[in-house]
Amino acid sequence: MRLLASLKSTFLLAAVACVVSTSAYPDDDVSGLYALVKRRMPNHSNAFTFNLSTIASSDLDTFTIRDASYDEGDAEIYIECTTLSACARGLYTYVTEFGGVDIWWTGSRLDQLPHKLPTVNKPVTRSSIVPYRYFFNTVTFDYTAAFYTFDDWSLLLDWLALRGVNLPLAWVGYEYILVEVFREAGLTNTEIADFLSGPAFQAWNRFGNIQGSWGGDLPTQWIDDQFALQKQIISRMVELGMTPVLPSFTGFVPHALHNLYPNTSIVNGSQWNSFPSTYTNDSFLEPFDPLFAILQKSFIDKQTAAYGSVSHIYTLDQYNENSPYSGDPTYLQNVSSATFASLRAADPEAIWLMQGWLFFSDETFWTTERVQAYLGGIPGNDSMIILDLYSEAQPQWERLSSYYGKQWVWCELHDYGGNMGFEGNFVNVTAEPLRALTSPGSSMVGMGLTPEGMEGNEIIYDVLLDQAWSLTAINRTLYVSSWVSRRYYVSDLPSSAVNAWEILGATVYSNQDPSSQATVKSILELAPALSGLVNRTGHHPTLVFYDTDTTIVPALQMLIQAGYESKSLLNIPEFKYDLVDVTRQLLANRFITLYETLVATYTSNASSSATIAAAGKPLLQLLRDLDELLLTDNYFLLANWISGARSLSHGNASYAAFLEYNARNQITLWGPTGEINDYASKQWGGLVGGYYVPRWKTFIDYLVGTKENGTAYNATVVTNTMLVIGEQWDTQTWGQMEKWGTVGDSWSVVQALATKYM
């Protein structure tokens, strides 16, 4: 106990000195909003006036937009609001509904506001229907933002703020604080390095799923740079009226901690996704051990010193795809009770936020009795926020009686691993949150987006954040028309462009198939095999639930027609993106037929090596055509992912190679030997041609060879061969033969491929 007391004293003294403090913005400071206007609408930097007031009797965020009066200075538009977030949403309402422009994942087009701003005439007042509008999944920080610069973050944070998000997760830089805590606990740099995971895999280390870094230890430079980046991110979040959800000490520790504190209660977590024990079975310091509270306080004190007192909401997930040491309800209650006590000891106003994925992914373990015991360890209902992570397909709030009174957020997950494929359920993400909010005894307090990755389907995310400001379900037809008119901002938008999206909205974005409620993955991205690829269901589906010929084909035809009717559309990045994206989906779907033909040919008694080779040729040609298509657009380039990683190396060649290996491994093998092979696969130019084409060619050559040699198909041989291809590809260096930028013209390639494959 004297050792613990001494350690506690050391932590308290060191917390203030170890990091530099930054101050939070005052609650009434609207300078961040003016900075946003100047950043995104420089020609109208003086056109808006923001005023924080108490205009609404409700506690919910409220704004009013109106024309500025002559005695209010040079501003043309006056936005009054109860919070900074409401002001940002009010600004967004004006620029979209009156100005006709928008901001997208592909870039901001807010600078295209008309020179003479449209008048509002009758004032518009709106309120949010929930206190919280949440954004991020813990793993989004790796599948999408692993190699983000602050410029990337700046665009995304402006996108969030304008859409009314006020509760974003903020994981970046976590390892810097954690390392300081571990060092003061007595762990060596080597012992800490053995625990931390690589830049593209940090989310699962934070979850306690994995430990260690295949491909080399996590460099100190990375830890320092991410900490500096987090300071910028937190500052921007706060100035835009968002409350960052900050990390906390979760309990996952290096194995060596048990050697330092042999009497502490440390247990090993479960194996994760067949990873070898070297990289999983993380050690978990049980929260009721006194050391847990000491480390928690150290962590939160250091974090507050670093970023200021900007939030009292902390993310903490202990059992995400990680089985508890015991299923005894009393044990589970003791874990959560001690965890929360440690948070409140460090921050008397602490609120615990957790992802509720565990209650779905391990539903067999998390019975209602166990969930009730675990949640019951946290006193009061306002001291916890639970993300019902996959509400659009596998909601848990009904099974768990609105989380037994604890606050919770209705979330749309939708995308796994940053996969790419059209899918959405428009009715579900508009009507279902309203049903949950108004259900008897509901403790729902928010609506949010929790995608694992952000790769397309933007409309189905936009609508949920818009629904958070409407008590009536949004009309799909009206919404699609308005959304397209902003996305393709031209003076005379052809009706064919709107019609294309109406078809998509009524079909691929109105998925009613309960077995396939997530982004649909293309089988061309999966390791080749004779079976098990097509018609997968669940939350990693390959089942195409719509008819391509009556959905994708006419939509593409109409977009091409729109391009002919309005040449100015071809200069709009989002139109070009959508042309490529719809064509990509067409080819991805056509690949299924070619694959099934190949398999049928091979398994036919009448097949020969020649007929198999012939069946494989169009399949390989489609992949080459797809690669050519994707290389024409900057938003579909593997080179950008790799360049983003390598650019963070400060010119250090070995560091750059380490970062590139991480980037490559995540989107291919996902693990040292393909433990989660192809989970985070992408349809990117350079990846299709440089990785998927060789895999499929090797597979076809193998099938041809078995016929020539009279040998039986051996699935193990195929799997091992694909692993070797992956291992070799992951260690390559981009740019030795490949180009970094786009190649070719999207418009001409789209037309040629449409003619060929429609």
Side-chain angles (χ1 to χ4, degrees):
M1 290 302 293
R2 282 185 295 177
L3 176 61
L4 290 178
S6 174
L7 184 58
K8 181 176 180 179
S9 175
T10 301
F11 284 156
L12 291 174
L13 290 172
V16 177
C18 70
V19 282
V20 178
S21 175
T22 58
S23 60
Y25 282 72
D27 291 340
D28 60 348
D29 187 350
V30 295
S31 61
L33 298 175
Y34 288 112
L36 186 156
V37 173
K38 187 175 183 180
R39 189 163 54 245
R40 301 300 173 192
M41 298 163 266
N43 293 331
H44 297 88
S45 57
N46 298 316
F48 298 90
T49 291
F50 300 99
N51 180 41
L52 279 167
S53 69
T54 55
I55 57 177
S57 57
S58 170
D59 291 334
L60 297 172
D61 290 1
T62 301
F63 66 81
T64 294
I65 54 177
R66 62 172 173 81
D67 298 317
S69 59
Y70 290 109
D71 60 353
E72 290 174 330
D74 297 330
E76 299 174 61
I77 305 299
Y78 186 90
I79 302 176
E80 191 172 15
C81 48
T82 57
T83 64
L84 288 176
S85 180
C87 267
R89 179 70 194 193
L91 175 62
Y92 181 71
T93 300
Y94 176 80
V95 297
T96 54
E97 296 184 18
F98 295 90
V101 297
D102 213 325
I103 182 172
W104 311 99
W105 292 346
T106 43
S108 173
R109 311 302 163 214
L110 301 182
D111 59 349
Q112 297 175 355
L113 269 175
H115 176 72
K116 174 61 178 175
L117 292 182
T119 57
V120 176
N121 294 323
K122 184 179 179 180
V124 175
T125 297
R126 289 183 193 157
S127 297
S128 66
I129 64 173
V130 286
Y132 298 122
R133 284 83 59 194
Y134 176 85
F135 196 87
F136 284 119
N137 188 308
T138 291
V139 304
T140 322
F141 289 84
D142 283 315
Y143 285 135
T144 292
F147 308 113
Y148 265 22
T149 64
F150 187 64
D151 285 344
D152 300 316
W153 275 107
S154 181
L155 175 65
L156 181 56
L157 293 178
D158 286 350
W159 185 93
L160 296 180
L162 288 165
R163 280 171 167 76
V165 170
N166 63 355
L167 193 64
L169 193 56
W171 266 113
V172 175
Y174 166 74
E175 284 66 28
Y176 184 93
I177 307 290
L178 188 66
V179 166
E180 291 298 304
V181 172
F182 284 160
R183 282 174 177 163
E184 292 183 4
L187 290 165
T188 66
N189 289 340
T190 299
E191 291 167 338
I192 297 170
D194 287 343
F195 173 72
L196 300 176
S197 299
F201 306 100
Q202 291 184 309
W204 300 273
N205 183 245
R206 295 163 180 172
F207 273 147
N209 302 133
I210 62 173
Q211 59 183 332
S213 174
W214 50 96
D217 289 345
L218 184 67
T220 301
Q221 185 69 62
W222 171 270
I223 295 172
D224 292 343
D225 289 347
Q226 292 294 295
F227 178 57
L229 178 60
Q230 175 77 330
K231 288 183 177 181
Q232 293 178 285
I233 292 170
I234 293 295
S235 178
R236 181 61 59 82
M237 284 180 173
V238 172
E239 74 175 49
L240 291 174
M242 294 184 272
T243 299
V245 179
L246 296 173
S248 59
F249 175 67
T250 58
F252 299 108
V253 296
H255 287 319
L257 191 71
H258 197 256
N259 297 328
L260 280 173
Y261 302 95
N263 296 322
T264 56
S265 181
I266 297 177
V267 296
N268 283 341
S270 54
Q271 184 185 31
W272 188 68
N273 277 298
S274 300
F275 273 81
S277 58
T278 306
Y279 296 117
T280 187
N281 301 115
D282 291 27
S283 292
F284 179 60
L285 173 62
E286 296 191 292
F288 36 76
D289 189 286
L291 182 59
F292 188 99
I294 293 173
L295 299 183
Q296 185 71 271
K297 182 164 178 55
S298 173
F299 186 96
I300 291 179
D301 284 351
K302 294 180 192 308
Q303 186 168 250
T304 302
Y307 311 132
S309 183
V310 296
S311 177
H312 299 290
I313 303 178
Y314 301 94
T315 181
L316 202 160
D317 291 286
Q318 297 167 321
Y319 300 122
N320 184 85
E321 300 181 4
N322 196 354
S323 301
Y325 180 72
S326 168
D328 180 72
T330 301
Y331 172 84
L332 296 172
Q333 188 170 57
N334 288 341
V335 167
S336 60
S337 176
T339 300
F340 183 72
S342 77
L343 289 171
R344 280 288 169 94
D347 179 353
E349 300 178 59
I351 295 174
W352 177 358
L353 181 141
M354 67 173 291
Q355 295 193 173
W357 173 254
L358 69 168
F359 302 133
F360 160 64
S361 67
D362 198 5
E363 186 175 342
T364 301
F365 176 88
W366 287 103
T367 62
T368 54
E369 180 188 17
R370 286 172 172 162
V371 175
Q372 194 164 11
Y374 187 64
L375 299 185
I378 297 93
N381 290 330
D382 59 354
S383 50
M384 173 174 249
I385 301 172
I386 301 165
L387 305 178
D388 193 62
L389 209 69
Y390 194 18
S391 303
E392 83 274 20
Q394 296 290 340
Q396 298 299 299
W397 63 271
E398 287 182 291
R399 177 175 82 91
L400 302 176
S401 302
S402 203
Y403 291 99
Y404 306 107
K406 292 290 189 288
Q407 299 178 111
W408 66 276
V409 177
W410 197 103
C411 297
E412 176 187 354
L413 201 165
H414 184 258
D415 186 284
Y416 289 84
N419 291 163
M420 302 163 68
F422 288 175
E423 195 276 338
N425 188 333
F426 198 99
V427 171
N428 188 296
V429 297
T430 53
E432 280 302 295
L434 298 181
R435 184 178 73 84
L437 183 65
T438 57
S439 66
S442 176
S443 52
M444 173 180 158
V445 294
M447 295 163 64
L449 299 176
T450 53
E452 289 194 348
M454 299 161 60
E455 295 289 342
N457 295 305
E458 195 168 346
I459 190 171
I460 211 66
Y461 299 110
D462 286 346
V463 69
L464 180 66
L465 293 180
D466 289 339
Q467 187 63 68
W469 295 80
S470 174
L471 279 170
T472 58
I474 292 173
N475 178 278
R476 190 196 70 227
T477 302
L478 295 177
Y479 188 85
V480 168
S481 178
S482 175
W483 188 87
V484 175
S485 68
R486 301 194 307 275
R487 190 165 175 83
Y488 307 152
Y489 185 64
V490 294
S491 57
D492 188 16
L493 180 64
S495 60
S496 52
V498 177
N499 293 339
W501 277 95
E502 286 181 347
I503 290 175
L504 295 176
T507 55
V508 300
Y509 292 119
S510 292
N511 179 18
Q512 300 300 308
D513 186 343
S515 69
S516 180
Q517 291 283 318
T519 301
V520 178
K521 191 182 189 82
S522 174
I523 66 168
L524 67 87
E525 305 166 40
L526 300 175
L530 269 188
S531 61
L533 303 187
V534 299
N535 296 327
R536 293 182 182 178
T537 56
H539 53 280
H540 299 280
T542 61
L543 172 67
V544 178
F545 59 90
Y546 53 86
D547 175 51
T548 301
D549 291 333
T550 58
T551 57
I552 303 299
V553 168
L556 180 56
Q557 289 172 329
M558 290 176 185
L559 287 177
I560 293 173
Q561 180 183 338
Y564 276 111
E565 293 175 356
S566 175
K567 295 298 183 182
S568 57
L569 279 174
L570 303 180
N571 297 320
I572 295 177
E574 286 68 42
F575 181 76
K576 178 184 172 185
Y577 176 97
D578 292 342
L579 268 178
V580 171
D581 202 23
V582 177
T583 308
R584 174 204 59 74
Q585 191 65 63
L586 172 66
L587 269 63
N589 293 356
R590 296 301 193 218
F591 183 89
I592 298 172
T593 302
L594 297 178
Y595 166 77
E596 291 178 328
T597 298
L598 173 66
V599 172
T601 301
Y602 179 76
T603 55
S604 169
N605 292 330
S607 67
S608 65
S609 59
T611 59
I612 296 167
K617 284 182 179 179
L619 182 150
L620 293 176
Q621 186 57 52
L622 182 147
L623 290 175
R624 296 186 181 103
D625 288 343
L626 177 59
D627 197 57
E628 180 186 13
L629 168 72
L630 298 171
L631 286 170
T632 66
D633 190 272
N634 188 57
Y635 299 103
F636 292 91
L637 297 183
L638 167 66
N640 288 346
W641 176 248
I642 294 177
S643 174
R646 293 185 65 90
S647 68
L648 303 179
S649 68
H650 299 274
N652 183 309
S654 61
Y655 185 18
F658 168 80
L659 292 170
E660 180 167 352
Y661 172 79
N662 264 257
R664 285 174 175 264
N665 184 262
Q666 188 208 84
I667 59 175
T668 54
L669 297 182
W670 211 126
T673 55
E675 281 74 8
I676 320 181
N677 196 26
D678 297 317
Y679 183 95
S681 60
K682 305 287 188 293
Q683 291 175 52
W684 283 343
L687 183 61
V688 173
Y691 187 59
Y692 300 146
V693 167
R695 286 207 304 189
W696 282 99
K697 184 178 185 306
T698 299
F699 179 68
I700 293 167
D701 290 346
Y702 173 79
L703 297 182
V704 170
T706 60
K707 283 295 180 181
E708 289 178 342
N709 302 326
T711 55
Y713 178 85
N714 188 320
T716 301
V717 170
V718 172
T719 299
N720 291 338
T721 301
M722 297 306 152
L723 175 60
V724 171
I725 292 174
E727 290 173 333
Q728 292 174 344
W729 189 86
D730 283 357
T731 58
Q732 293 175 9
T733 301
W734 184 269
Q736 295 180 339
M737 298 175 59
E738 309 91 345
K739 292 185 177 180
W740 285 103
T742 58
V743 179
D745 173 65
S746 298
W747 178 238
S748 58
V749 172
V750 164
Q751 292 179 86
L753 294 182
T755 300
K756 184 175 182 179
Y757 289 101
M758 285 200 297

